[in-house]
Amino acid sequence: MADKLRTLQNLEALQARYIGTGHADTTKYEWTSNILRDSYSSYVGHNPLLSYMSVGMGEPKEKVRTMMLEKMVRGAGNPPETQE
Amino acid sequence: MATTSHMFMYSLTIQPPTAITQAILGQFSGTKEQQIVTASGSKLTIHRPDPSQGKVTPIFSQDVFGIIRSLAAFRLAGSNKDYIIIGSDSGRITIIEYVPSQNRFNRIHLETFGKSGVRRVVPGQYLAVDPKGRACLIASVEKNKLVYVLNRNSQAELTISSPLEAHKPQTLVFAMISLDVGYENPVFAALEVDYSEADQDPTGLAYEEIEKVLVYYELDLGLNHVVRKWSDPVDRTANMLFQVPGGADGPSGVLVCAEDSVTYRHSNQDAFRVPIPRRRGPTENPERKRTIVSGVMHKMRGAFFFLLQTDDGDMFKLNLEMVEDENGQLTGEVQRLKIKYFDTVPVASNLLILKSGFLYVASEAGNHHFYQFEKLGDDDEETEFSSDDYSADPSVPYDPIFFQPRTYENLNLMETINSLNPLIDSKITNLTEDDAPQIYSVGGTGARSTFRTLKHGLEVSEIVESELRTVPSAVWTTKLTRSDEYDAYIVLSFANGTLVLGIGEVVEEVTDTGFLSTAPTLAVQQLGEDSLIQVHPRGIRHLLAGGRVNEWPAPQHRSIVAAATNERQVAVALSSGEIVYFEMDTDGTLAEYDERRQMSGTVTCLSLGQVPEGRMRSSFLAVGCDDSTVRILSLDPDSTLENKSVQALTSAPSALSIMAMADSSSGGTTLYLHIGLYSGVYLRTVLDEVTGELSDTRTRFLGAKPVKLSQVSVKGQTAVLALSSRPWLGYSDIQTKSFMLTPLDYVGLEWGWNFSSEQCVEGMIGIQGRNLRIFSIEKLDNNMLQESIPLAYTPRRFVKHPDQPLFYVIESDNGVLSPATRQSLIQDSESRNGEAAILPPEEFGYPRGTGHWASCIQIVDPISTKSVVFTLDLEDNEAAVSVAAVPFSSQDDETFLVVGTSKDMSVSPPSSGGGFIHIYRFQEDGRELEFIHKTKVEEPPLALLGFQGRLLAGIGSTLRLYDLGMKQLLRKCQAPVVPKTIVGLQTQGSRIVVSDVRESVTFVVYKFQENVLIPFVDDSIARWTTSTAMVDYETVAGGDKFGNLWMMRCPGKVSEQADEDGSGAHLVHERGYLQGTPNRLELMVHYYTQDIPTSLHKTQLVAGGRDIVVWTGLQGTIGMFVPFASREDVDFFQSLEMQLAAQHPPLAGRDHLMYRGYYAPVKGVIDGDLCEMYFLLPNDTKMMIAAELDRSVREIERKISDMRTRVAY
């Protein structure tokens, strides 16, 4: 029992520390939102990638960066209705 | 087979990335002088701006083998030296300093705080430092913020605390800066959005109501913790923050830049807002809102101002006005903001204002600019807009404000620094009939796009070119006395005489010099204190001060054939093969050594080194004989003219030169013997200063003519000018001190010599035919010459004409009005308002409009006219996406230009109103295009390729074969070959390599008999391919959007089966494996470069070099993969790599192997850039590594530099 508890606590610590650490009840919405946000933050963080997109879009990098961060706010859209 | 890869590549950078992702300013040397530190890719470079010349020169550059995400400079109170903090992908915070005495970066602190890599919650994206240098905050895009307290200990060393956390989950940070609060507790400001509620609300209402807030984080230095002190909603579209000076200098607080407005905010002040002015003009959309994309705050003598730049590149000057009290004194209260147009410069990733009155613009695309401030726009006619007229509430609407852009009024462009970024495509071919090919590239964005020719060479600035009556054979310059600073005479030798020119205000002939004018000259030298000597075939003429002349005649029936001199010694070789040696006496006369040395053959050349500082003589004489040997003779008094060593050569030596040059192996200077051969080969050997032994010979072929050598001085260092069919300069690299041999971008010279005068201190003089030329070399830090030709829009691809030296560039710009639309708008406005001024688009960009495309095809002639010779604009909102020159066998193999276009394309999300394939016929030898017809296709054709006399097009996921018809293209055969979208095609034989936008490459075979396309092998990993090149029939090299380079090989058996005769039925009926083709490619090589590869070529870069893979990256990188020939070399470099990674870990704390294996483990590649770090190491570390590897330092350095010079520059 104690072992199980410790595993649970470890998992919770991980989940608090690293967002996106999954659990048994991760929903599709949580998972996709997470992937999307990870991707956008990666685009913002890797300069060549941001530059690549900015050349494609014909917009300055700063505008593309803001656009990506705004998309992170949105994530995968509205969450699904929860059934009570 | 070995467990490791059986293919090994040596990866090297030919040119590092030129895109500047971040630039900071500071006094990094600890002096008053300000320097600029820039990050480009993984390179950290420190530059010195020179205010007197208005130039920026790089001083030192180091590869940190990590991704530099953020940089900040800070200074501890009371100190005058700035430190640098690096936020990188290492999961560590790094503090470094620049050590000017060693010209190196030195790491002071390295603190680990998280996982490595660029991740959402690992800090590194934002970095803010308290202006008083007391603390810094490093934050991630989401949630995590860490505050480090910076201090100094009793030894005045910098200390760093353990981190204090200021995390807030589910909160995104848009911008982060530190506040200027004087000496109160440090405060950091962030623009944040909390998305936790939006993630819980299925109705979407919470998302609609999300607010962006400005948050202050205060570090309580007393309690040593961080509190969220204040937060207040700001404009939802806010994207940037700027620090407003505080303490004694200003009101403190921040500027919040949002779409269309700038607001001043502070916790204890009212908010003030001004709109961002929009451009006025007939082609401008008055509804388009501008965003601030970069800016800079500048403080000077109690005043301060901001320069803010919009997405058009327009800079606005923003001032804060304070409330005055009744005595006319300024209070700390803000009264209004004022904004007005300043000037327009290229869109910058960073703007820096130097105290010396310069503006450094690190451009986002294209060349970087360095401007001088003429004035600060204080009293001009620009309308100033004040915040008095606008409500500070973002929800209150207002009328937009306008301004008229104009050319520079406040700034003066001093220097443009070449930058290839973004480098979109390249071709490597030899069009100029030089011995080495050139690199042709297209890059840049919008109207600042360029077509560039790159070639290996040093830039030469010519000072004088004058034609003489007859052809001179040689030229010297000489001083008159030892103490003279500059040369006084130019001595020209002709076939039957000698001419002396005096250097003064004008260069003119002087006659009373004492030089023998009726014979040719072999050598001229300033000897001893104040005498000169002239060596001519009949003897040596010693011109003493006061006009006296001593003549030493050559023995009867013999003449002098070669001579070598320095300021105390003279050696001449007679036609009989005897060597006569003279030394200067104490009384200044030349004394002949009593014995003559008989050489085995005819002497072709001689060389004496310079007399070393504090010595009486140079102790060696090098003698080159026509029996293809070079002998080193001793000149020491007890062993005069005795043999020291011999070097056998492949051909007779034509020139010799002993000189001391900077050396990387010993750290000081070393004596070198440079040897030029009649065969055009140049050798450089190390001459041991004690024993006279020759060692470490390096060879290079220079050209078809016999090599001539002379010692010159360039940028304060001794260099060797080697002349063959073209001139070359041998010098020590400024940073690594390793020997470089680079051709000069100049005419072929027959003779060269050092030249120094008041106007040109470090020049050279040379002869080319009948012309006398004086020139100098200004820069040694860049050995790639660039020539650029401006293009109209962002280039996307280009092809070369099959026979002519012409390139066809397709260009397109998103969100830009097409020329036709522009024209009609201008005509509209002119009919109403009369003539309107059109701004040059190179500086101001094109008028923009959402959903519009401007696109054209341009023909560039980089050789004869060096310009665009023809432009064809595309209509109907079509944008060119692909181009190919295709010979059609149905048209007697006539080659046509095929251009794929897309109509009404949208980039994100990707969509289009279908595509077209245009066919053009070449006219006027390819200098014009004639439109034949166009064929509609369902999706944009992103890849085109000529294939067996027909056209292959990648249309979406379909590969289609077309033939040319009268009215349109005729579909011959098609197959869906890849899962998503075809973006590239390569071919050899009947094999086609198809690259997919995100599913790597697929090999397809075309069966001519059955007319079918059959995919037979694909990849097991999804690679987001950008560019590929076939290395051989089975192997393909490629790059992806994440910055990886890889090579894949088709298994031999599969390859054979695919080409078996017959119908290919066995291929069609073979069962697919895991929803793909039946077979999988093998990964041979994998390597992370950071930059996105945009083109790959299998080619040679130097004459006689091996085939290598050259790649170009988006940020301007040019790199190469050199295949290893032997397993021993691989083992050696592998252990060297390991030693270097262990002894000299990367600066920013990233593990080297982890970095190169960012997405997938490195396979089959040795990192040459790491190996070349060996040159930069201190001597003891070099020796330690050399001992570990059981080799000498010189041997290791030679191996490293050979890897580069054998195949490239």
Side-chain angles (χ1 to χ4, degrees):
Chain A
M1 195 62 213
D3 261 8
K4 213 169 182 182
L5 194 66
R6 182 169 309 150
T7 322
L8 198 68
Q9 279 170 345
N10 281 349
L11 192 64
E12 273 169 4
L14 269 179
Q15 273 153 356
R17 193 145 173 214
Y18 301 107
I19 40 174
T21 311
H23 50 86
D25 301 322
T26 305
T27 64
K28 183 182 174 189
Y29 170 75
E30 283 168 2
W31 189 82
T32 41
S33 287
N34 199 37
I35 295 287
L36 275 170
R37 291 196 175 114
D38 276 346
S39 305
Y40 287 123
S41 83
S42 169
Y43 303 157
V44 169
H46 291 94
N47 221 289
L49 212 46
L50 192 64
S51 182
Y52 193 86
M53 292 187 197
S54 110
V55 171
M57 292 181 181
E59 297 280 2
K61 270 186 341 204
E62 173 61 27
K63 282 188 87 167
V64 179
R65 188 189 76 97
T66 317
M67 218 184 289
M68 298 294 165
L69 290 175
E70 282 301 339
K71 286 184 173 174
M72 282 181 81
V73 177
R74 181 80 275 217
N78 294 331
E81 297 279 354
T82 42
Q83 271 101 45
E84 295 306 316
Chain B
M1 204 65 240
T3 48
T4 53
S5 180
H6 40 269
M7 185 185 207
F8 269 94
M9 294 286 173
Y10 186 77
S11 161
L12 266 181
T13 305
I14 299 173
Q15 182 167 291
T18 48
I20 294 179
T21 51
Q22 179 112 42
I24 53 167
L25 191 65
Q27 300 172 1
F28 301 108
S29 294
T31 57
K32 282 267 180 231
E33 188 188 59
Q34 284 185 308
Q35 281 112 4
I36 298 169
V37 168
T38 59
S40 15
S42 60
K43 279 239 171 202
L44 194 65
T45 311
I46 182 162
H47 307 259
R48 198 182 60 218
D50 183 344
S52 59
Q53 290 183 36
K55 284 196 177 341
V56 183
T57 38
I59 329 176
F60 178 67
S61 171
Q62 185 173 348
D63 203 325
V64 304
F65 301 104
I67 300 170
I68 304 173
R69 307 177 66 193
S70 47
L71 285 178
F74 77 97
R75 187 183 314 176
L76 291 173
S79 135
N80 57 359
K81 184 184 169 91
D82 283 324
Y83 296 98
I84 305 159
I85 308 184
I86 307 174
S88 71
D89 64 337
S90 60
R92 295 157 158 194
I93 185 168
T94 318
I95 301 183
I96 61 165
E97 63 171 338
Y98 172 66
V99 187
S101 57
Q102 297 168 351
N103 194 20
R104 292 286 183 273
F105 289 118
N106 176 29
R107 189 165 71 205
I108 303 173
H109 286 292
L110 182 66
E111 297 295 321
T112 310
F113 53 68
K115 285 189 180 183
S116 61
V118 173
R119 291 164 204 262
R120 197 164 134 205
V121 289
V122 177
Q125 181 72 27
Y126 302 105
L127 186 59
V129 190
D130 174 63
K132 295 284 183 265
R134 296 169 297 168
C136 74
L137 187 149
I138 184 162
S140 57
V141 168
E142 186 171 326
K143 185 183 153 198
N144 288 10
K145 294 170 199 73
L146 296 172
V147 178
Y148 287 90
V149 181
L150 305 164
N151 216 325
R152 71 173 103 209
N153 62 13
S154 51
Q155 279 87 45
E157 286 161 343
L158 176 69
T159 61
I160 185 164
S161 71
S162 42
L164 305 169
E165 293 184 351
H167 303 340
K168 187 162 185 289
Q170 304 202 302
T171 302
L172 298 167
V173 178
F174 279 70
M176 174 129 242
I177 57 150
S178 68
L179 236 58
D180 187 351
V181 287
Y183 283 102
E184 286 170 36
N185 278 334
V187 177
F188 299 94
L191 270 182
E192 291 185 350
V193 168
D194 183 338
Y195 66 77
S196 51
E197 274 171 37
D199 259 12
Q200 302 299 327
D201 176 24
T203 61
L205 211 65
Y207 174 73
E208 298 297 321
E209 286 170 357
I210 278 184
E211 282 182 329
K212 199 171 265 176
V213 285
L214 174 67
V215 187
Y216 279 7
Y217 289 92
E218 180 175 351
L219 164 67
D220 195 320
L221 285 170
L223 295 170
N224 205 27
H225 80 143
V226 186
V227 285
R228 204 178 154 94
K229 191 184 165 197
W230 179 67
S231 80
D232 207 32
V234 293
D235 195 324
R236 180 71 183 80
T237 57
N239 66 318
M240 260 199 167
L241 292 176
F242 288 98
Q243 182 191 78
V244 176
D249 300 326
S252 185
V254 292
L255 285 185
V256 181
C257 301
E259 199 176 74
D260 209 33
S261 74
V262 179
T263 315
Y264 169 77
R265 298 300 305 267
H266 193 35
S267 52
N268 59 11
Q269 301 259 10
D270 292 334
F272 296 92
R273 183 166 73 134
V274 281
I276 301 169
R278 303 175 192 175
R279 280 187 184 181
R280 195 182 290 132
T283 51
E284 289 295 330
N285 174 7
E287 298 302 311
R288 189 162 78 87
K289 296 173 175 177
R290 265 56 170 195
T291 317
I292 299 297
V293 297
S294 71
V296 61
M297 182 268 290
H298 188 63
K299 268 195 282 193
M300 47 177 198
R301 283 174 261 107
F304 63 89
F305 65 90
F306 295 87
L307 285 182
L308 304 177
Q309 190 181 35
T310 66
D311 40 351
D312 289 332
D314 301 325
M315 275 203 301
F316 294 94
K317 185 178 174 185
L318 189 134
N319 277 313
L320 261 74
E321 279 186 12
M322 308 289 187
V323 179
E324 289 179 7
D325 62 13
E326 54 274 23
N327 304 328
Q329 293 289 308
L330 293 178
T331 61
E333 205 176 319
V334 179
Q335 192 172 27
R336 63 177 70 87
L337 298 184
K338 280 189 159 180
I339 193 165
K340 68 173 178 180
Y341 176 58
F342 190 73
D343 265 347
T344 303
V345 299
V347 174
S349 59
N350 272 105
L351 295 169
L352 301 174
I353 298 179
L354 278 73
K355 277 190 199 146
S356 44
F358 288 90
L359 175 73
Y360 180 77
V361 179
S363 306
E364 220 176 77
N367 294 349
H368 308 302
H369 286 194
F370 194 55
Y371 295 93
Q372 184 164 31
F373 282 99
E374 302 265 283
K375 53 190 171 62
L376 290 175
D378 285 330
D379 26 51
D380 52 14
E381 269 118 60
E382 289 300 328
T383 334
E384 205 165 29
F385 301 97
S386 155
S387 62
D388 292 350
D389 308 334
Y390 306 93
S391 159
D393 181 359
S395 59
V396 177
Y398 54 84
D399 289 332
I401 52 178
F402 295 94
F403 75 101
Q404 184 68 45
R406 47 153 175 77
T407 47
Y408 300 136
E409 222 162 66
N410 300 303
L411 295 172
N412 184 15
L413 183 61
M414 299 301 284
E415 197 196 9
T416 58
I417 302 147
N418 274 334
S419 168
L420 289 169
N421 163 58
L423 201 169
I424 292 163
D425 200 359
S426 77
K427 299 273 177 282
I428 300 177
T429 162
N430 192 353
L431 298 182
T432 56
E433 283 155 18
D434 282 344
D435 46 4
Q438 306 88 42
I439 303 174
Y440 297 91
S441 72
V442 290
T445 57
R448 296 182 70 237
S449 305
T450 49
F451 177 99
R452 293 185 198 228
T453 308
L454 286 105
K455 63 177 180 195
H456 183 217
L458 284 171
E459 201 180 318
V460 170
S461 49
E462 182 164 84
I463 297 158
V464 177
E465 187 209 333
S466 78
E467 202 174 318
L468 302 165
R469 276 184 300 266
T470 41
V471 180
S473 56
V475 63
W476 294 270
T477 57
T478 181
K479 318 191 269 192
L480 290 183
T481 66
R482 183 203 277 272
S483 53
D484 281 0
E485 203 174 336
Y486 303 116
D487 292 328
Y489 289 157
I490 297 173
V491 182
L492 288 157
S493 170
F494 297 93
N496 53 3
T498 296
L499 179 73
V500 183
L501 304 173
I503 307 169
E505 299 262 298
V506 287
V507 174
E508 54 189 1
E509 189 177 342
V510 277
T511 45
D512 54 345
T513 52
F515 276 91
L516 184 70
S517 62
T518 53
T521 303
L522 293 172
V524 172
Q525 174 71 45
Q526 193 279 316
L527 198 73
E529 282 308 316
D530 50 4
S531 60
L532 293 174
I533 57 161
Q534 177 195 14
V535 182
H536 54 89
R538 303 294 323 142
I540 302 173
R541 205 172 160 89
H542 188 183
L543 313 167
L544 295 157
R548 283 185 301 125
V549 171
N550 279 346
E551 183 99 26
W552 177 86
Q556 283 280 301
H557 310 302
R558 275 167 277 179
S559 61
I560 299 175
V561 290
T565 59
N566 64 28
E567 58 265 37
R568 300 193 60 86
Q569 296 158 289
V570 178
V572 295
L574 302 178
S575 48
S576 58
E578 282 171 308
I579 289 183
V580 192
Y581 172 60
F582 301 86
E583 233 180 80
M584 204 180 67
D585 275 345
T586 40
D587 60 350
T589 56
L590 270 185
E592 187 186 338
Y593 180 67
D594 45 13
E595 272 172 56
R596 292 179 185 171
R597 166 80 194 250
Q598 179 67 47
M599 301 306 289
S600 50
T602 306
V603 176
T604 54
C605 48
L606 290 173
S607 177
L608 277 166
Q610 298 279 329
V611 179
E613 198 84 22
R615 301 275 291 275
M616 287 294 287
R617 59 179 69 79
S618 157
S619 33
F620 303 112
L621 172 67
V623 184
C625 298
D626 64 353
D627 57 356
S628 300
T629 56
V630 168
R631 281 164 215 276
I632 301 295
L633 305 184
S634 167
L635 296 180
D636 285 331
D638 48 349
S639 60
T640 311
L641 297 182
E642 274 177 26
N643 232 355
K644 282 282 193 181
S645 57
V646 187
Q647 166 104 27
L649 305 165
T650 52
S651 145
S654 56
L656 292 173
S657 178
I658 298 177
M659 66 174 83
M661 287 177 82
D663 171 45
S664 57
S665 312
S666 64
T669 59
T670 302
L671 217 50
Y672 286 106
L673 172 65
H674 301 271
I675 307 169
L677 305 186
Y678 277 100
S679 58
V681 171
Y682 158 87
L683 295 96
R684 185 197 66 146
T685 64
V686 174
L687 177 59
D688 191 296
E689 277 166 64
V690 182
T691 61
E693 292 288 330
L694 296 172
S695 60
D696 190 25
T697 308
R698 304 201 192 172
T699 315
R700 185 89 173 251
F701 176 69
L702 299 190
K705 288 198 204 163
V707 178
K708 290 220 172 62
L709 299 168
S710 57
Q711 180 175 342
V712 293
S713 152
V714 180
K715 297 302 252 176
Q717 59 161 297
T718 12
V720 58
L721 182 69
L723 307 171
S724 179
S725 48
R726 60 202 280 214
W728 295 68
L729 189 79
Y731 55 98
S732 316
D733 184 74
I734 294 171
Q735 274 188 29
T736 61
K737 299 282 176 249
S738 63
F739 186 74
M740 306 274 280
L741 194 64
T742 309
L744 302 183
D745 183 35
Y746 204 50
V747 291
L749 299 173
E750 277 100 53
W751 185 271
W753 201 258
N754 204 26
F755 177 84
S756 173
S757 76
E758 219 165 318
Q759 287 80 30
C760 167
V761 181
E762 289 182 321
M764 280 162 239
I765 187 164
I767 295 169
Q768 177 246 338
R770 276 164 62 176
N771 294 317
L772 192 64
R773 290 168 183 266
I774 300 177
F775 56 95
S776 68
I777 294 163
E778 306 294 342
K779 270 188 188 168
L780 288 182
D781 48 14
N782 183 11
N783 64 359
M784 285 287 251
L785 288 167
Q786 290 188 15
E787 246 172 36
S788 51
I789 298 165
L791 299 174
Y793 308 111
T794 311
R796 303 293 170 179
R797 297 273 173 85
F798 73 127
V799 287
K800 190 188 157 287
H801 189 282
D803 321 304
Q804 304 291 331
L806 294 171
F807 290 97
Y808 302 83
V809 188
I810 54 163
E811 301 159 34
S812 61
D813 260 332
N814 190 3
V816 167
L817 302 183
S818 70
T821 321
R822 255 180 276 158
Q823 204 51 45
S824 72
L825 282 171
I826 290 168
Q827 267 164 10
D828 265 16
S829 133
E830 274 177 4
S831 61
R832 276 182 284 115
N833 314 328
E835 206 74 7
I838 308 297
L839 294 165
E842 306 83 66
E843 282 163 46
F844 296 93
Y846 292 106
R848 301 183 64 89
T850 319
H852 287 263
W853 282 89
S855 181
C856 68
I857 307 163
Q858 291 195 313
I859 306 179
V860 179
D861 174 1
I863 306 299
S864 52
T865 63
K866 297 188 195 289
S867 65
V868 170
V869 293
F870 181 78
T871 304
L872 193 138
D873 282 302
L874 297 178
E875 285 158 8
D876 297 335
N877 215 25
E878 278 180 49
V881 292
S882 55
V883 66
V886 183
F888 283 98
S889 31
S890 57
Q891 301 286 323
D892 300 331
D893 285 327
E894 185 186 347
T895 306
F896 291 84
L897 187 74
V898 184
V899 176
T901 66
S902 170
K903 192 170 159 53
D904 303 327
M905 183 163 56
S906 137
V907 178
S908 166
S911 75
S912 90
F916 291 95
I917 301 176
H918 295 230
I919 305 287
Y920 297 94
R921 175 174 269 133
F922 294 118
Q923 299 285 5
E924 313 278 335
D925 282 339
R927 294 186 162 261
E928 273 176 35
L929 293 174
E930 182 200 357
F931 176 70
I932 307 291
H933 57 64
K934 66 180 185 182
T935 311
K936 188 161 173 41
V937 288
E938 58 279 18
E939 274 184 72
L942 295 179
L944 297 172
L945 179 76
F947 177 75
Q948 299 184 350
R950 291 192 271 188
L951 169 72
L952 258 185
I955 293 153
S957 63
T958 314
L959 186 62
R960 195 174 288 165
L961 195 59
Y962 282 110
D963 208 341
L964 188 62
M966 293 299 285
K967 292 269 174 59
Q968 62 163 21
L969 289 166
L970 310 169
R971 202 183 288 194
K972 291 293 170 195
C973 143
Q974 68 173 17
V977 293
V978 295
K980 184 69 186 158
T981 309
I982 297 173
V983 291
L985 295 168
Q986 304 285 332
T987 184
Q988 270 184 26
S990 320
R991 180 168 298 177
I992 307 150
V993 174
V994 183
S995 41
D996 187 84
V997 70
R998 64 175 198 216
E999 293 289 344
S1000 193
V1001 290
T1002 307
F1003 284 29
V1004 176
V1005 63
Y1006 176 64
K1007 295 288 176 189
F1008 185 78
Q1009 239 87 47
E1010 285 70 33
N1011 190 29
V1012 282
L1013 290 158
I1014 311 162
F1016 64 94
V1017 59
D1018 64 7
D1019 194 2
S1020 47
I1021 292 180
R1023 301 175 203 278
W1024 296 45
T1025 319
T1026 53
S1027 170
T1028 54
M1030 282 181 89
V1031 178
D1032 58 38
Y1033 192 59
E1034 266 92 35
T1035 318
V1036 62
D1040 67 33
K1041 282 181 192 166
F1042 303 107
N1044 299 301
L1045 277 173
W1046 29 265
M1047 280 194 198
M1048 315 286 300
R1049 181 169 286 172
C1050 174
K1053 206 171 159 205
V1054 176
S1055 174
E1056 266 167 42
Q1057 273 175 0
D1059 288 339
E1060 267 169 25
D1061 288 343
S1063 62
H1066 60 290
L1067 291 175
V1068 180
H1069 298 301
E1070 208 169 347
R1071 196 175 334 140
Y1073 177 65
L1074 296 177
Q1075 289 159 12
T1077 57
N1079 308 292
R1080 290 292 177 269
L1081 292 163
E1082 284 168 13
L1083 179 71
M1084 304 304 292
V1085 155
H1086 197 281
Y1087 185 71
Y1088 177 66
T1089 63
Q1090 180 163 351
D1091 202 355
I1092 301 175
T1094 50
S1095 65
L1096 286 107
H1097 313 274
K1098 183 191 174 195
T1099 178
Q1100 291 175 359
L1101 279 184
V1102 291
R1106 272 189 301 154
D1107 268 351
I1108 52 173
V1109 176
V1110 177
W1111 63 276
T1112 60
L1114 185 74
Q1115 297 196 314
T1117 320
I1118 302 174
M1120 61 178 173
F1121 270 7
V1122 188
F1124 273 106
S1126 78
R1127 185 78 210 185
E1128 288 96 273
D1129 275 355
V1130 175
D1131 291 341
F1132 166 76
F1133 279 105
Q1134 256 178 346
S1135 34
L1136 177 65
E1137 220 184 3
M1138 263 162 60
Q1139 287 292 333
L1140 279 164
Q1143 305 283 355
H1144 189 74
L1147 192 68
R1150 182 78 157 130
D1151 182 82
H1152 173 261
L1153 215 55
M1154 293 269 281
Y1155 170 64
R1156 289 302 183 193
Y1158 197 99
Y1159 291 97
V1162 187
K1163 189 174 184 194
V1165 185
I1166 305 284
D1167 185 358
D1169 294 329
L1170 180 70
C1171 295
E1172 290 195 345
M1173 290 291 282
Y1174 188 76
F1175 292 116
L1176 296 177
L1177 294 180
N1179 251 343
D1180 48 343
T1181 322
K1182 273 190 197 173
M1183 252 124 82
M1184 198 154 73
I1185 294 176
E1188 288 287 336
L1189 297 175
D1190 225 2
R1191 309 223 178 198
S1192 73
V1193 173
R1194 206 175 278 286
E1195 216 176 326
I1196 293 177
E1197 291 195 340
R1198 182 200 170 139
K1199 262 188 132 50
I1200 297 170
S1201 80
D1202 268 4
M1203 280 310 281
R1204 182 184 279 273
T1205 51
R1206 250 189 269 146
V1207 291
Y1209 347 110

